[in-house]
Amino acid sequence: MTSSDENSDESDETDDSHEHDHSHDHFDREHSERDEVSDPSIAHDGSVAQLSVPDMDCPSCAGKVENSVSKVEGIKEIEPQVTTGTLTVTYEADITSTEAITERVEKAGYTVKNSDEVTEKFSVPEMDCPSCAEKVTKALDNLDGIATAEPHPTTGKITVTYDSATVTGSDISAAIEGAGYEVTDTTAQQGNKDNSESGDSIWRSRRAIKTWISGVFLAGGLLLEFFLPGENIQVASLLGSDLVLADALFLVAIALGGHEILRNGYYSLRNRNLDIDLLMSIAILGALVASVAFGEGLYFEAATLAFLFSVAELLERYSMDRARNSLQELMDLSPDEAVVKRNGGEETVPVAEITVGDIVVVRPGEKIPMDGTVVDGESAVNQAPITGESVPVDKSEGGEVYAGTINEEGYLEVEVTATASDNTLSRIVEMVEDAQSNKTEREQFVERFSAYYTPAVVAFAILVTIGSPYLLGTTWPTAIVYGLTLLVLACPCAFVISTPVSVVSGITSAAKNGVLIKGGNHLEAMGEVDAVAFDKTGTLTKGELTVTDVIPLNGNSEDDVLRCARGLEQRSEHPIGEAIVAEADGASVAEREISDFESITGKGVRAELDGTDHFAGKPGLFEELEFDLSHVHATTEGGVVTDTAQSLCDRHNCLDLLEETVPELQSEGKTVVLVGTDEELEGLIAVADEVRPAAKQTIARLQDLGVKRTVMLTGDNERTAQAIAEQVGIDEFHAELLPEDKVTAIEKLTDEHDGVAMVGDGVNDAPALATATVGVAMGAAGTDTALETADIALMGDDLGKLPYLYELANDANGVIQQNIWASLGVKAALALAVPFGYAPIWLAVLAGDAGMTTAVTGNAMRLSRIRPPEDSGAETISSGGSHR
């Protein structure tokens, strides 16, 4: 789409002229300005490693990893992303390496998942006994790059996880066959396609099983201690303290439920990271020491902590995976394999092996695997996964298609134009992942606050433990329990996670609905916008000229007028001429023989049609041919006079073109072209850049949602700008602007309002987009420049998505505030209640930790339910030929 930045010195004639000397009128000017803006260059300072750390799923985990990695010399920047389980590290390659960074992550107690890791299942029917399985496993032990090999003799299969950069599936098959067993089939799955466990697997994991068994022993101890005291016999003595059967059961519960906690606490202590794992480890060990050394009998409290916190960790992992899966849905849009035409036939290959220029075959109901151009076939394609369009788009030869979209009904052959790692879907996924690095102001505040919160609560725990026996008259065992409870509340996990999980939910929800938000800071800023500026051409209008009115004169019909106009214009490359030819083609009017074509500079064109001179152009051209334009006979039979042109004389059914018809059409933002011979004026054609069907509804909806001011910035002339502004309901407009004038207008708006959004085409409006608080690019699917220049991109050419974006951003800001204050409020209330005995330790674990983490995650996931309206104004677009 083009954007309107027309040359002001020609604007006075734009709507009442038809120039065919190909000078730079307003449409030509728009096209030339698009090319003046080049892609911004991005300077990279240092090497960047992105590691997958799936178990890094909470702020304390991220802090532990960050502290460990920061000890490596040559590290410049560390960005842990809890919501995706990834760690991005910028480092100096001549000082350190990815291997050194990976080692430090593992020393913090976390496993780095290899992005090249592949899990493949091999069918080995003859491997039907344990000795066979052992033989195959030993054969694989001799290969480098094998991570795990799990044989299943009962099914005749072996599952192998390996580094694809070191060893291949063919190498593994050869090794198995070298052991004497035939491989009949293989299935591969990229390790990075599934970084997160399913909800079911989390609850059946090794830690979950240990947790459930821990709960059984805890329940047994509770039963003996409180309901069957007669059976609670002494079983041992520790340092002079009696150990009863219930205490023994509690100790087993601690060993099972607290194993992972104490392990993680060790790594936290080793990296000097005061996080929840270290605090819980101190609480559990503190209770045990008090029980054994001082006879305080806090085995029950320690077991309760171990079990409940382990449950809390599982809940947190489950909640986090729900957020991660929202992004995984984007990744799963593209199929893993595709049918490619090669060597005179068709073969199915992994998408990673498809190269630019290959021809892929897409049958009805299949996903399109790669970006490309249709070279054969016709079909309707559901582009909703990429652009959010609710209506399938017709595709034919020459049409552009995107990976992840769905072929609805026809057969297509697509020539690949981008590799799997560089297609539109891959760029969207990459930008959504990167968006989490751009922290919102609230997120930065939370991180600063949390740095003081934990030490403050730990200090408060020490004061309560020491002071409550003296000030509140509590016993020492009770004081110790109070202190342990406050240690549980000292980690602000739910508080810290409240913002990023909301940002991830909002950004991924937007991406699935065709809106790409390139950072949490832009999502936050969009929700605080109270003024929106729009470009005109290609934004509020379609950016393509179309015929709006055909007025036959002097007994001619509409077909007669279009037939002559098409003959005159078909040799013209001017946008107005192209619009007339397209209209005539659509009306299927007969062709005329054309010869002796001539462009009349600044006025119009002349040509012989079937041997007779004909003209098309400005009203001024026909005045020079000595026509009386104030007294022209209108066609009342055999043709249709439009409502906008029914200004008839009192006598003889005449039109006054100069004083009434032409000015009235021009007041509606239309350009007028007259058609005729040197003896007869045959008709009038009005051409305009049509307003988008969604424009008026979009402006009204934005105003209903709270936008205080809407402004149109255009290079078009005053008259056209006023007509469009009135038609769509814009509050104010500024016309005849150059690109630098748009920047000045945006700067003035930002001085008057807290937040200003600029909506344009993302190319020639780049300076204004960059100046606004938030820049929103229209129709960015497949357009590299638009994806780079804007803060937010509407992937489809649908202006109706703008109110959805504004509503989503507002709701996201509301959810973030709710999460922050709810998590902080619950923690504060529990902490203040502890010294007075109103907050038992189990409540601190369940409500203060697991409960709030689950609650803020669930609240954030509500954003995924916000959808753009089905009737947002999207138009059915045909791709592959001309479309209007």
Side-chain angles (χ1 to χ4, degrees), residues 673-706:
V673 178
L674 300 184
V675 180
T677 68
D678 55 1
E679 296 180 355
E680 180 186 60
L681 189 61
E682 299 177 341
L684 176 153
I685 297 176
V687 178
D689 181 10
E690 281 189 288
V691 172
R692 292 180 181 274
K696 185 173 183 179
Q697 179 185 345
T698 294
I699 301 301
R701 180 60 179 156
L702 287 173
Q703 292 166 342
D704 290 342
L705 289 172

Side-chain angles (χ1 to χ4, degrees), residues 629-652:
L629 300 182
S630 64
H631 195 80
V632 180
H633 287 270
T635 296
T636 56
E637 294 182 5
V640 178
V641 179
T642 63
D643 292 338
T644 58
Q646 278 186 329
S647 299
L648 300 179
C649 295
D650 293 334
R651 297 177 301 160
H652 309 300

Side-chain angles (χ1 to χ4, degrees), residues 835-853:
F836 303 100
Y838 296 121
I841 198 166
W842 62 265
L843 183 62
V845 175
L846 290 183
D849 189 75
M852 283 313 304
T853 298

